[in-house]
Amino acid sequence: MTQSQMHILVVDDERNIRNNLTMVLEAAGYKVDASGDGEDALGKCKERYYDIAFVDIQMPKMGGLELLRYLHALRPRMAVVMLTAYGTPSRAVEAMKCGAADFLEKPFDPKAIQLLCEEIFQRQKTGKDVSMEDLLHLAELARERKAYVEARVYLKTATMRDVTRPEPYYWLGQISELESDKRRAMQYYSLALDASTDYQPANEALKRLKHTDSTTPA
């Protein structure tokens, strides 16, 4: 399947964000539809199949998390990416626990959006017969090559296979740290602890990052 065959739905009640995201995706070669609210988006998804839906987490009428639950039941293979406001890490963690494929904080970088779409499509092509241990091993090999996009593909596929395993979330946090994204790293470490409350590597990483924040001059 080529980019021109991929169909993406953008759902956001803010017109500027909706239009900007649509333009970025169309410029990258994707077919894009847009909705201004959850009810309209749900109706569109009942009529046709989308490969990815970008959904704002905070919307009137039907909220993003409620829409996520409906979409997950209606189109379980569709990847739903939640759009969150800067400074709301707990909402992003909640969305991932509800089945979101990923999340993006506003304002977002157009390049990051394109990379995320590519990453999701690669995840969808990963065979279901690949074991959890194989996915973790493939991710390790990719990390060693500094192929972080590829590593994330394997790790996020692993999170969808077994939500009770903390390792994929932990290593996603490690990659986020390597990319100097501490906020995202902390979100992934929190998800690792949600999967297993006694997973020490994630616990220690969270303590370290929180200590770094507390000692950073204002």
Side-chain angles (χ1 to χ4, degrees):
M1 187 180 292
T2 63
Q3 281 180 316
S4 62
Q5 295 173 305
M6 301 293 185
H7 211 162
I8 297 176
L9 178 64
V10 174
V11 190
D12 199 304
D13 62 302
E14 295 185 46
R15 180 182 297 176
N16 287 342
I17 292 176
R18 189 168 68 243
N19 291 345
N20 289 341
L21 185 50
T22 297
M23 285 191 293
V24 168
L25 292 166
E26 287 179 338
Y30 299 112
K31 293 166 56 179
V32 185
D33 289 335
S35 290
D37 63 73
E39 293 177 356
D40 181 66
L42 189 58
K44 280 183 166 62
C45 288
K46 287 178 179 177
E47 294 173 0
R48 62 184 64 87
Y49 178 80
Y50 294 96
D51 298 282
I52 301 177
F54 285 88
V55 177
D56 183 25
I57 203 166
Q58 190 70 38
M59 295 188 292
K61 297 182 182 178
M62 183 186 297
L65 290 177
E66 184 181 1
L67 178 59
L68 168 63
R69 295 185 183 97
Y70 279 121
L71 294 179
H72 198 57
L74 179 67
R75 303 286 189 188
R77 294 192 62 190
M78 180 175 66
V80 180
V81 178
M82 303 305 294
L83 307 175
T84 66
Y86 182 81
T88 56
S90 61
R91 302 300 301 279
V93 170
E94 185 180 359
M96 294 288 283
K97 290 167 68 176
C98 290
D102 219 310
F103 59 91
L104 282 174
E105 282 190 344
K106 302 175 188 178
F108 26 73
D109 176 7
K111 184 63 177 176
I113 294 168
Q114 294 176 33
L115 285 173
L116 179 58
C117 289
E118 178 185 343
E119 182 184 311
I120 288 172
F121 293 141
Q122 290 299 321
R123 269 187 256 168
Q124 291 173 339
K125 291 194 295 186
T126 303
K128 291 187 176 181
D129 55 341
V130 181
S131 71
M132 171 67 78
E133 300 310 321
D134 285 342
L135 288 168
L136 291 174
H137 181 59
L138 288 167
E140 180 182 4
L141 295 175
R143 286 199 316 275
E144 289 174 356
R145 299 197 316 272
K146 296 187 172 150
Y148 298 137
V149 171
E150 182 182 344
R152 282 196 295 267
V153 168
Y154 296 129
L155 291 169
K156 289 176 182 176
T157 301
T159 66
M160 305 301 280
R161 297 282 174 85
D162 186 351
V163 297
T164 67
R165 291 286 294 269
E167 298 97 321
Y169 297 115
Y170 171 75
W171 287 112
L172 284 165
Q174 290 283 289
I175 291 172
S176 295
E177 282 200 70
L178 289 170
E179 295 175 330
S180 301
D181 192 342
K182 289 184 179 179
R183 287 177 53 79
R184 202 172 185 87
M186 291 175 73
Q187 289 166 337
Y188 281 128
Y189 294 143
S190 294
L191 283 166
L193 290 173
D194 281 339
S196 177
T197 55
D198 59 354
Y199 188 65
Q200 283 305 307
N203 192 28
E204 291 167 4
L206 260 181
K207 287 180 180 177
R208 172 173 49 77
L209 290 181
K210 287 178 179 177
H211 176 73
T212 300
D213 282 346
S214 67
T215 57
T216 301

